[in-house]
Amino acid sequence: MKYFVFIFFLFTQFVSAQNKRFIYQYTFIPDSTNKANVVKEFMFLEVSGNDTSSFFSQRKYQSDSTIMAPANKGKMIMPPMDLTVLYTIEKKGGKVFYKTLGNSAQMRIKVNDERKLDWKILNDKQKILNYNTQKASLNFAGRAWNAWFTQAIPLQDGPYKFHGLPGLIVKMEDATKSHIFELVGISNLPDDYAYPERYQFTKEVEFNRSEYQKYYTKYRKDPAAVEKQLYIEGKIPDQRDSSGNFRTGAQVLREIEVAAKENVKKDNNIIEIDLLKE
């Protein structure tokens, strides 16, 4: 896949909070037993107000944009099976929500994460992308993290669930360097911009952290549960792949199930590592 070329805006002055897209490169090691497999993905932090933002992957955005129309007509065209970051993080009014697809086509999960971020601001300073940044540390979700933030962009926000520092987080990495977020660009969003929701969800189920951990454990035991339900509902039709090869819906489902189980097996170094502790 060809990624678009970023035009860098290396501001040293105030950046307006309204309708901005902060582009991060997310570098991570999904399998702790194979540290040579390093995955890189572009992530978008879209800020639409002083206390409102969304964080998601570029590839998910592109996939949802492509399949939105047929999905809204009740036909499920499967997204690429190698998508690695499927969640959206929403921050609003000081609250943090983790959103992802649930166990049916008509269900979305919304996890209210009420954990407080106990930052320790340190004296260390560093120049990153022409920004003067300062270091802060944090223990979160089973990992020790280091952040570099800049007061030149006075947004108390950053990648993933991280927020609350007196400036935008320019770089964030855990102590093992398994998960690293680095700001690589900034762009404006049009006034009429809206994320391309690929489903018209009829139900959104809200979990607290403990409830979601139980749900997540169950998911890892049957990672293709959503697709099985879609198949039962007739929403995974017979189709041709990008090479023109014909496959029945049942064949597509089987491929998805095999790939999903293999992905879970290799996805043992997740960002919130404490979720794997039952």
Side-chain angles (χ1 to χ4, degrees):
M1 174 188 290
K2 291 184 178 179
Y3 292 103
F4 53 79
V5 176
F6 293 131
I7 298 177
F8 293 93
F9 297 85
L10 305 183
F11 299 130
T12 57
Q13 69 274 14
F14 174 73
V15 175
S16 171
Q18 299 297 326
N19 299 324
K20 292 288 183 183
R21 173 180 283 168
F22 297 90
I23 305 155
Y24 291 83
Q25 180 170 275
Y26 177 29
T27 303
F28 60 103
I29 300 172
D31 185 354
S32 62
T33 68
N34 182 16
K35 294 185 178 180
N37 179 30
V38 178
V39 179
K40 295 180 184 289
E41 183 144 359
F42 290 118
M43 306 291 295
F44 294 160
L45 173 66
E46 295 186 345
V47 178
S48 56
N50 289 326
D51 62 353
T52 302
S53 67
S54 296
F55 183 75
F56 50 86
S57 82
Q58 179 209 18
R59 292 193 66 215
K60 181 178 183 300
Y61 172 82
Q62 291 177 326
S63 174
D64 287 353
S65 298
T66 301
I67 65 181
M68 179 177 65
N72 287 339
K73 293 178 181 178
K75 293 184 178 181
M76 182 61 188
I77 304 301
M78 298 310 299
M81 286 187 285
D82 63 345
L83 285 180
T84 54
V85 183
L86 300 174
Y87 60 77
T88 297
I89 305 295
E90 291 188 357
K91 306 185 189 100
K92 187 171 185 179
K95 294 185 177 181
V96 178
F97 299 99
Y98 174 98
K99 292 187 174 184
T100 192
L101 189 64
N103 59 10
S104 79
Q106 302 301 319
M107 175 183 172
R108 182 164 56 180
I109 293 172
K110 179 180 180 180
V111 184
N112 185 2
D113 194 333
E114 297 181 325
R115 288 173 292 180
K116 302 299 182 183
L117 302 186
D118 186 18
W119 293 102
K120 291 181 174 59
I121 297 180
L122 308 174
N123 293 324
D124 309 54
K125 296 182 180 180
Q126 186 179 145
K127 198 90 164 180
I128 302 177
L129 288 180
N130 283 348
Y131 294 113
N132 294 317
T133 70
Q134 188 168 351
K135 189 177 182 181
S137 64
L138 171 74
N139 290 318
F140 178 76
R143 294 184 183 275
W145 292 90
N146 288 317
W148 294 91
F149 67 94
T150 178
Q151 296 187 52
I153 306 178
L155 297 174
Q156 296 188 21
D157 211 335
Y160 196 60
K161 297 179 179 180
F162 303 116
H163 67 285
L165 287 169
L168 183 75
I169 297 171
V170 174
K171 183 176 180 179
M172 189 89 193
E173 64 181 4
D174 79 308
T176 68
K177 298 190 185 300
S178 294
H179 297 269
I180 303 171
F181 298 94
E182 297 175 278
L183 183 69
V184 295
I186 305 171
S187 63
N188 294 318
L189 293 173
D191 292 337
D192 59 350
Y193 168 82
Y195 186 90
E197 290 288 357
R198 78 185 200 201
Y199 295 113
Q200 296 298 320
F201 290 99
T202 59
K203 181 169 66 171
E204 184 171 75
V205 178
E206 187 166 338
F207 290 155
N208 60 32
R209 173 72 178 177
S210 177
E211 291 168 338
Y212 178 68
Q213 183 160 13
K214 293 177 183 177
Y215 184 93
Y216 183 71
T217 300
K218 182 179 179 181
Y219 154 76
R220 290 182 69 90
K221 293 177 180 178
D222 187 10
V226 172
E227 289 77 10
K228 289 177 182 177
Q229 183 62 34
L230 288 170
Y231 179 72
I232 291 172
E233 295 172 1
K235 293 179 180 177
I236 300 183
D238 298 346
Q239 56 192 267
R240 293 187 183 277
D241 61 22
S242 58
S243 300
N245 300 313
F246 178 81
R247 295 176 299 164
T248 66
Q251 288 174 318
V252 172
L253 175 62
R254 178 58 183 162
E255 291 174 11
I256 292 171
E257 186 173 13
V258 170
K261 288 182 177 179
E262 184 65 18
N263 287 340
V264 165
K265 181 180 178 182
K266 294 178 180 179
D267 189 28
N268 55 59
N269 195 27
I270 61 176
I271 189 168
E272 296 194 30
I273 198 68
D274 59 351
L275 277 173
L276 299 183
K277 299 176 183 177
E278 297 186 51

